[in-house]
Amino acid sequence: MSLTPTVVRPGRRVHWLELFFDLVMVVYIGQIAQVMHGDPGWMDALVFVAFLGAAWWAWVNATVTMNLFGARITRSTWAAVTIAMIAIGVMAAAVPEALGDRAAAFAVGNAVIRLVWVQPWFSKRRTIGVPWWRPVLYSVVPASLWLVSIWVAPPWQFVLWAIAVAIEIALLSFLGGQQEWLRTALDIDHLVERVGLLVVIVFGESILTIISELDGHWSVLSGVAAVLGFASVSLLAWIYFGHATSAVERGLRGLLQRGSITGLRDTVMYLPFLLVAGVTLFATALGTAVAEAGHHLPTGAVISLSAGISLFFLASAAESLRYGAPWRQVTLWGPAGILLPWGLAPLSNYVDAEVVVACSTAVIATALALTEINVRHMRAVPEKTESAAVT
């Protein structure tokens, strides 16, 4: 971490091209969410995390590259984004059979997405002070491993996939001389808006899932479960857009001013994945609850429901702490949001699906109330300090 403060400049807005790119992410998230519908097992959960992680990493690489090099949208930028969209589209179409007959298509999509975003790093490597081998090792080598895996039989095929991702993660742990350039080049306003817009998309998947399941299971009890599901999604969105987004902006600016590029990496590239995974899991469980209204919610769906809410608050608490917030700022709402949802699991043995959804709504409402109390307390502390200083 640098001890020299960094001057934070006014940032730019997200370009329409980036919103266009996110459309294919909607499709991919919808595809991978299907894995967790019904009564998923632990293997389904592992597949969900792995394949959602692949899409997340593709989105992160696109976002960071556009943040650093996309201030001016050119014809080559349009072409690169279009190719990237096609690659993620192929990955999305391959997801249902990515461990079987469509593994080759999934691997090709991952290879192409890495090769697309390596170009600006190569062309501007001298300006930004990046050695030629770093983009090769970060993008070209993993892309090659993905392509080679096409001719490798499982399970070694999946081992190559894991190695390819591990190389990228390992390189991000050693940023070296890039840190100084990144302190001046990163656009915080753009990053905040990009993450927020992706979360909007994931919440949209929740709404789509509820409506689709209600359409296929049209009954009074399913309607009750759907209304309660809408309420719970709305409460989570209230927490995120009412409180989390402002905290994200303040936190990222604070990290940049302190020169903590590793902190920015963690809070932009790693921790939001937990939140996205949590909301997606929550959405799949709500869809199952609408379909199973009047019956007990399957065990896998109950775990997804609990894990989804818990991950949402775990990610929020971890982000706050990584920004440098003291523990007392998260102890009121963090443990409640992380632990209370797991009480739904034993409860589901005695009540029907719509009642479980009602209880999950109550859990989120409790966490929201605690969040509001915490925010008011934080605002009151500076006021008290200021009054004491005056007297």
Side-chain angles (χ1 to χ4, degrees), residues 19 70 120 122 138 140 145 161 187 200 219 236 266 270 284 369 381 387:
L19 299 179
F122 260 129
Y138 185 82
V140 178
L145 290 174
W161 294 2
D187 189 317
V200 169
S219 68
L236 274 186
D266 296 344
Y270 295 159
T284 62
V381 169
S387 299

Side-chain angles (χ1 to χ4, degrees), residues 4 242 262 332:
T4 304
T262 54
L332 188 60

